[in-house]
Amino acid sequence: MTDNTIDHHRGHSTEGLEDEVIAQLRSLPDVEVPVGLSKQIMAAVHGRKRSWWRTVIFRLSRPRTVSFTPLKWAPVGAALMVGLFIGFNLDRMSTAPEPSPAQQLAQSENDADVHFKLGRLLLANDKAAEALVHLKQAAHAHPDNASYRFWVGVNFWTLNDFDQEREYYQSALTIDPDYLPAHVYLGHNYLDQGDWQTALGHYERVLQDVPDHPEALFNRGVALRYQGDTALENNAWAAYLDHYDRGEKALQAVTYLNANGNFSFRRIQMGPVEVVKRRISFRPDETVLEGTAHHTLEDIGHLFEQNRRLELHVVAYVANDAQLAKLRAKKVKQHLTDQFDGISPQRIKLSWFDVGETIKMDDHVYQLGSSIHVFATTVEES
Amino acid sequence: MLTAEDDRMVEAVLMGDVEAFGHIVRKYEKPIFNLMYRATGSMDEAADLTQDAFLRAYDKIHTFRPGKKFYPWLYALSINLARDHLRKKSRRPEMADLDPDNAAQMTWSDSNAAAEADRSADSERLHQILRTLSINDREAVLLRFRDGFKMKEIAARLDLSLSGAKMRVHRGLEKLQKAWGEKRHDR
C-alpha cells in the first residue's frame, strides 16, 4: 500500500465529493497563537528548573577531551576539604543563625547565574537598560563564560550600541572560538556596518558546523551581492534555495538569482502557494530529464496531487524546434502521471513554442534558449 | 523543520540552558496550539494545554533520543496530553463512543463561535465536521491532506504503526466525506 492507495479505496461515485473535501482541508486556516503565549510558557519553564543531577549526568555522558593540570584541580581539592569539614560539623552548623537579608543579598550579588537569568528575563521584557546591569555583572563574575559575554553583546545591540555589541561578541569568541551564536551575531553586526568580507568569514564559520543555518546561508548571499562577486553570490543563493524553497526569504533569494541572469531556480506558482524550485531541465537536444528535474517534479507532483482544484500548465520553449518543445512538454506530463497515481492526465494542459522564453525583470529582458515553465491555476467549480 | 537545529537546541537544554528551550517554544507553539485548539475548541483551553505540553516536553526532554526528529516527538507527546485532557474532562460518558479518542466530540464547545464568524461558511462547516472525529482520525486527515505529510511521517507524529496511520487517514476521510455529503444535502 503506497501513500496514494487510500484514494483508490473509494468508489467512483464519491470521487467528486472526496475532491471537494480534500480541497476544503487544503484551505483550512490555522488560528493565530494568543500574544504572549511563548513568554507565559517560558515563565512557567523558569519556575521548574531542571534537576541538577540530570544536567550533571548529561554533561558527564558527553564525549570530551580533558587535559589534567594539577593546579587546575586545586579548587576541587579545596572544595572537597570544605565539604568534608561541613560534613563533620553539620550538627553544629545547623544551629547557626539564618543569614541576614543583607547577607543573602550579598550572596546573590555574587551569584552570576542569578544575574544572568534576571538579565535575560529583563531583556525579554524589553527592559534592556536594566538587563544590562545584571548581564554585565554575570559576565564580570565569570569572565570565562562565553555565553554571558555573548548576551551582553545582544543587550548592547538592543540599545543600538553596535561597537560595544561587537566587542562583547569578540570577547566571547576569545573565550570559546567555536561559540556559534557569537559568530552568527558578529556576522550580522559586520553586515550592518557594510564590512562584507568579515561578515562572510563569520557566516562561513557557522556553515562549517551547521550547513543549513538559514540566516548564515541567506546573509552570505547578501554579503557576496554587495561585494559584487556574482558567481559566488549565485552559488550562495542556490545553496540557500536548496534548503529553503518557500517563504519571503526564498522568494527574495530567487529574485536576486534571476536578476543576475541565472535561472537555475524558478518561482513556481502552485495555485495559492508559490514555491521556488530548481528548473526543469533536459539533456541538450534530448527529451531525457536531468536528475535535478526529477526532484522538482516530485515536489510539484506532490503539491499538485494534494490540491485537486488545481490545473497544471506545462509550457515548453525550444528556440527553432517546435517538435522538441512538444516532446518535452509531453515528457513532463508523462513523468507526473506515471509517478503520481492521483494525478489524472486531464488536469495537465500542455503548450509549446519554437521560440525561447522571454523573461522580464525590472529593466532587463532575458531570453532563454530552451526552458520549461510550469504553473498551476485554481479551477473554480461550476 | 530542521533536525540539526532542533538537536542543538535540545542539547543546549540538557546542558542547562533554559533559554534554548525558548527557541523551541517559539518555533513550535503555533502548530501545537492549533492541535490543542482543534482538540478543545476553546482558545483558553488550547493555551493552557499548549503550556502543559511544552512543560511536559521540558520535563521529559532527557528521554528524547538524539538523531530522531524532535517535532514528531513533541507532536506525539502533545496529542497524548490532549487525549488525556479530553478523557478527564468528559462529563457524559454515556454519550461516548467506546473509543476513548472520541471524547473530543463531547468536549467541543461553541464558545469560540464569535472568533470563527469571519471564516467562510465552508471552512466553518468543515470545522464542525472535524470536531466530530476522534483526535487521531482528525489529525491524521489534516496531516495528510492539509499539511501534505507522507504516511510514515503521520505514523511517527501520531505514534501509530504505518498501517494504523493509513487506517486513520482512510477512516477519517471517509467520515468527513460522508458528513460533508449529508451537510450539503441539509443546505
Side-chain angles (χ1 to χ4, degrees), chain B residues 46-113:
Chain B
D48 288 347
L49 280 174
T50 304
Q51 177 169 323
D52 289 348
F54 279 107
L55 287 176
R56 186 177 285 191
Y58 183 74
D59 288 343
K60 290 182 175 291
I61 204 160
H62 60 280
T63 66
F64 173 71
R65 283 156 57 195
K68 293 276 179 186
K69 289 185 177 174
F70 180 75
Y71 182 56
W73 179 81
L74 177 65
Y75 197 94
L77 177 150
S78 303
I79 211 161
N80 282 332
L81 187 77
R83 206 180 290 128
D84 291 347
H85 171 80
L86 294 171
R87 276 199 195 98
K88 283 178 198 160
K89 202 184 162 200
S90 171
R91 291 284 182 272
R92 292 182 292 167
E94 68 281 5
M95 288 179 69
D97 190 295
L98 286 176
D99 179 355
D101 292 347
N102 276 353
Q105 69 192 64
M106 297 179 295
T107 57
W108 187 276
S109 76
D110 58 359
S111 61
N112 202 50

Side-chain angles (χ1 to χ4, degrees), chain A residues 119-355:
Chain A
R120 295 286 302 276
L121 194 66
L122 289 165
L123 198 58
N125 285 287
D126 298 326
K127 293 179 178 170
E130 293 165 55
L132 187 62
V133 175
H134 295 282
L135 289 174
K136 280 178 98 169
Q137 192 134 352
H140 180 72
H142 275 276
D144 56 348
N145 187 315
S147 176
Y148 290 176
R149 301 191 83 73
F150 167 75
W151 277 100
V152 177
V154 174
N155 202 148
F156 273 119
W157 172 67
T158 63
L159 292 167
N160 295 329
D161 187 340
F162 307 119
D163 292 337
Q164 290 267 29
E165 177 202 9
R166 191 168 55 254
E167 279 177 29
Y168 272 91
Y169 297 153
Q170 283 164 339
S171 66
L173 288 176
T174 306
I175 297 162
D176 180 0
D178 297 326
Y179 191 68
L180 290 188
H183 280 293
V184 175
Y185 279 63
L186 205 45
H188 298 347
N189 181 288
Y190 282 114
L191 198 71
D192 291 342
Q193 286 184 69
D195 186 343
W196 320 121
Q197 191 57 40
T198 313
L200 263 177
H202 288 287
Y203 291 134
E204 293 287 2
R205 175 66 192 80
V206 174
L207 293 170
Q208 274 174 25
D209 280 13
V210 191
D212 61 356
H213 194 285
E215 289 169 64
L217 276 175
F218 187 87
N219 286 347
R220 181 174 62 170
V222 173
L224 288 165
R225 182 173 179 78
Y226 282 111
Q227 278 196 323
D229 190 330
T230 308
L232 286 178
E233 181 200 341
N234 288 348
N235 288 343
W237 296 134
Y240 180 83
L241 292 169
D242 270 333
H243 286 96
Y244 306 98
D245 68 354
R246 61 188 74 186
E248 192 185 341
K249 286 257 189 304
L251 294 175
Q252 186 66 61
V254 78
T255 302
Y256 286 142
L257 185 68
N258 293 168
N260 288 339
N262 182 316
F263 293 91
S264 56
F265 284 81
R266 305 277 306 262
R267 285 177 176 227
I268 298 176
Q269 191 71 46
M270 293 297 293
V273 182
E274 191 169 26
V275 294
V276 179
K277 293 289 170 196
R278 276 198 179 270
R279 73 189 176 102
I280 300 165
S281 54
F282 286 86
R283 287 188 195 165
D285 304 321
E286 290 186 28
T287 56
V288 180
L289 286 162
E290 300 270 21
T292 52
H294 286 101
H295 297 303
T296 298
L297 288 175
E298 189 184 335
D299 292 344
I300 289 173
H302 196 56
L303 287 169
F304 187 48
E305 190 184 35
Q306 289 167 28
N307 189 343
R308 303 202 171 210
R309 278 186 180 171
L310 294 183
E311 185 174 79
L312 190 72
H313 299 265
V314 179
V315 189
Y317 299 88
V318 179
N320 306 314
D321 197 340
Q323 183 60 18
L324 183 58
K326 179 181 177 182
L327 290 172
R328 284 181 171 179
K330 290 175 84 169
K331 178 72 180 180
V332 169
K333 178 175 180 174
Q334 185 198 339
H335 185 90
L336 287 169
T337 51
D338 284 353
Q339 298 294 318
F340 294 89
D341 294 340
I343 297 179
S344 71
Q346 289 75 28
R347 294 174 61 208
I348 303 178
K349 308 296 177 195
L350 304 183
S351 42
W352 54 88
F353 299 95
D354 62 353
V355 295

Side-chain angles (χ1 to χ4, degrees), chain A residues 82-83 85-98:
Chain A
V82 170
F85 176 79
I86 290 171
F88 284 122
N89 294 281
L90 199 59
D91 285 347
R92 273 197 301 161
M93 288 178 73
S94 63
T95 58
E98 285 286 308

